[in-house]
Amino acid sequence: MTETYDLILKNGTVVSPGGEDHVDVAVRGGKIVAIGKFDSAQAGETYDATGLHVLPGVIDSQVHFREPGLEYKADLETEARSAALGGVTAVFEMPNTNPSTTSPEMLTDKLNRAKGRMDVDHAFYAGATHENTGLLGEMERMQGCCGVKVFMGSSTGDLLVHDDEGVEAVLRAIKRRAAFHSEDEYRLADRQKLAVQGDWQSHIVVRDVEAAVSSTRRLLRLARKTGKRIHVLHISTAEEMELLRDAKDVASVEVLPNHLTLAAPECYERLKGFAQQNPPIREQRHQDALWRALNAGIVDVVATDHAPHAREEKLRPYPASPSGTPGVQTFVPIMLTHVNNGKLTLRRFVELTSAGPQRVFGIANKGRIAEGYDADFTVVDLKRKETITEEWTKAKCGWTPYDGFEATGWPVATIIRGQFVMRDGEITQKGGGKPVKFNETLEPAEN
């Protein structure tokens, strides 16, 4: 008897663990059930991917969607829609909202807010404080939690665990890998006096290389002392990559498209506050080192740190301007442009945005095109040239630091659990996102 399927993706170049191949992918019940060659008559729907690349769904494991409390900047619905339009199939959202996600009740509130509103699959971080270490073990075991986030240096919001004793207490309270914003708060506070009014170039003086390096050195020592796994976010310095190269036993590493694409001083001269983020975009030598580390395998994950602010806030003179830029919708076009420019291979892009997050966070059933996995696909046209514009980006803030960027490589379809969410630049299914499942928190099967 001939097998039948819900959907067949035909005639595309499929990027799977075995490499790139011209094969079809068959989907049934939201899962990949077969890879090979199939007749269109075997499926209720066929998608002709001739000339296109079918990638595992891109996962953005660091975003700030600002809800609750800061919905004038962004919200779960608008930013998830922006993600889907950019070819992203799942996002992990940060805890520095208002109120912060520091209790089981607040984590449950975010999950409830996401139901029926977020177009993409999602998970939420638990935020660590000095006061809630007793709750973190419970929170990291909750469905829909991707782990604990620790701010060692202050950024947007009031979450902060800046001292060694506090960081050690957090690490001892948890079992899963924790994510860290690693900048030394003591040094940041001391150097705040070096901020020059109206001069964004001074951002890299205030938040200098040593603020990042000294914090990451302390963090690695504490991770080894406690025997715990850490994920160090948005690495921005050459010196940190030297440390992290020798710490693969305890530390996984993230870099951002912004740090791989923009460089000081040009970005601050051109974009001013719209280039301001924490840790800052630094000089070219650091960007060169990040690329070397990425292609040497030191980097495990690329994510965006999508962190929108209202345009009028970003127009304030430094240092009154807030740090953070949107990036979830531009993620795939920016990185595919780097692929086309020879900065990394398409296989490496997939490792960093699908297989890498799956491995680092222990995601269940996602991250690769293989039988039995969720039918999550980012379908891209590697040859398509488009100009990124503010009109195209649909984040609520309405701006992007990449306005006018000439991209080569473009997302043309976002498929989540076998359902088209974006097709040819249009949202085709709204509010269908579900919580991401993790190996360490799988629910027992019912008898």
Side-chain angles (χ1 to χ4, degrees):
M1 184 176 176
T2 303
E3 288 271 11
T4 59
Y5 309 105
D6 300 328
L7 171 68
I8 296 174
L9 287 78
K10 285 189 66 66
N11 306 319
T13 302
V14 175
V15 182
S16 71
E20 298 180 23
D21 201 359
H22 293 281
V23 293
D24 304 335
V25 183
V27 175
R28 186 169 55 231
K31 300 285 187 181
I32 299 167
V33 293
I35 300 172
K37 288 293 183 182
F38 310 102
D39 192 297
S40 297
Q42 291 178 258
E45 181 178 7
T46 300
Y47 180 76
D48 185 3
T50 300
L52 305 176
H53 281 72
V54 180
L55 313 181
V58 168
I59 300 166
D60 190 345
S61 54
Q62 189 190 176
V63 301
H64 302 258
F65 283 179
R66 305 303 195 200
E67 184 180 344
L70 301 166
E71 287 91 342
Y72 72 94
K73 300 175 189 278
D75 64 57
L76 295 176
E77 185 171 352
T78 59
E79 309 313 283
R81 189 143 302 151
S82 180
L85 287 165
V88 172
T89 60
V91 296
F92 295 176
E93 206 270 338
M94 285 293 171
N96 53 331
T97 45
N98 185 19
S100 301
T101 316
T102 54
S103 70
E105 293 76 19
M106 288 308 305
L107 185 58
T108 298
D109 176 67
K110 276 194 173 177
L111 288 162
N112 287 337
R113 288 169 178 267
K115 287 179 182 175
R117 293 178 59 223
M118 292 188 71
D119 296 348
V120 301
D121 287 354
H122 46 270
F124 297 98
Y125 286 92
T129 71
H130 286 101
E131 292 75 33
N132 78 339
T133 51
L135 296 174
L136 294 176
E138 176 185 354
M139 293 181 73
E140 71 170 357
R141 291 191 299 271
M142 292 174 64
Q143 300 299 307
C145 179
C146 48
V148 171
K149 165 69 180 289
V150 184
F151 287 87
M152 292 177 69
S154 55
S155 194
T156 301
D158 56 6
L159 289 176
L160 185 64
V161 182
H162 61 287
D163 57 304
D164 286 6
E165 295 78 10
V167 171
E168 182 175 339
V170 169
L171 288 172
R172 291 195 183 281
I174 62 178
K175 289 184 166 57
R176 294 173 68 183
R177 188 184 297 268
F180 284 83
H181 179 130
S182 182
E183 288 183 284
D184 190 301
E185 179 63 17
Y186 301 103
R187 187 172 179 87
L188 296 181
D190 183 61
R191 296 178 69 81
Q192 192 58 48
K193 61 182 180 290
L194 301 177
V196 177
Q197 179 79 12
D199 181 7
W200 287 273
Q201 302 278 6
S202 65
H203 192 52
I204 58 176
V205 177
V206 174
R207 305 183 86 106
D208 69 342
V209 169
E210 183 57 27
V213 173
S214 61
S215 177
T216 298
R217 187 179 293 115
R218 288 168 48 212
L219 176 57
L220 291 172
R221 177 177 58 79
L222 291 166
R224 288 206 171 96
K225 179 181 179 181
T226 57
K228 295 299 174 71
R229 298 165 292 165
I230 57 174
H231 183 54
V232 195
L233 301 166
H234 40 48
I235 294 300
S236 63
T237 72
E239 289 80 356
E240 282 175 286
M241 284 302 182
E242 293 295 316
L243 294 175
L244 291 162
R245 178 191 60 195
D246 299 323
K248 299 308 292 181
D249 53 336
V250 293
S252 54
V253 178
E254 176 202 85
V255 296
L256 310 183
N258 284 4
H259 289 132
L260 294 169
T261 308
L262 305 173
E266 186 277 335
C267 69
Y268 297 110
E269 294 168 354
R270 179 169 55 89
L271 296 168
K272 300 182 171 58
F274 295 97
Q276 181 186 330
Q277 64 179 80
N278 301 331
I281 297 164
R282 304 188 191 276
E283 299 90 342
Q284 188 66 45
R285 79 170 182 91
H286 294 289
Q287 185 187 112
D288 293 344
L290 298 187
W291 276 113
R292 284 195 298 273
L294 183 148
N295 283 306
I298 299 168
V299 177
D300 299 277
V301 169
V302 174
T304 67
D305 194 14
H306 174 94
H309 295 282
R311 189 187 300 270
E312 55 268 26
E313 293 175 313
K314 296 294 275 185
L315 288 169
R316 295 172 186 163
Y318 186 79
S321 49
S323 292
T325 69
V328 70
Q329 191 173 338
T330 55
F331 186 13
V332 173
I334 294 295
M335 293 306 298
L336 291 183
T337 301
H338 288 312
V339 169
N340 277 296
N341 289 339
K343 301 291 285 187
L344 76 165
T345 65
L346 186 62
R347 289 280 303 277
R348 187 73 178 117
F349 170 72
V350 167
E351 288 175 0
L352 293 163
T353 60
S354 301
Q358 188 281 325
R359 174 175 51 81
V360 167
F361 293 94
I363 302 170
N365 300 326
K366 293 185 185 292
R368 55 178 10 193
I369 296 177
E371 291 185 20
Y373 278 68
D374 286 355
D376 294 351
F377 309 106
T378 300
V379 184
V380 302
D381 184 342
L382 274 183
K383 297 178 180 178
R384 182 168 165 180
K385 296 181 183 294
E386 293 282 353
T387 302
I388 293 173
T389 64
E390 291 187 343
E391 181 182 13
W392 172 71
T393 57
K394 299 305 179 186
K396 184 182 278 190
C397 67
W399 61 271
T400 169
Y402 295 105
D403 186 41
F405 184 95
E406 299 290 340
T408 304
W410 201 256
V412 296
T414 306
I415 302 169
I416 303 175
R417 288 171 281 103
Q419 300 295 313
F420 282 90
V421 177
M422 182 275 286
R423 192 165 180 168
D424 298 325
E426 299 292 332
I427 295 294
T428 54
Q429 180 171 288
K430 296 181 179 180
K434 293 184 178 180
V436 173
K437 295 179 180 179
F438 298 89
N439 298 127
E440 293 181 75
T441 60
L442 289 176
E443 292 179 317
E446 295 182 4
N447 292 328

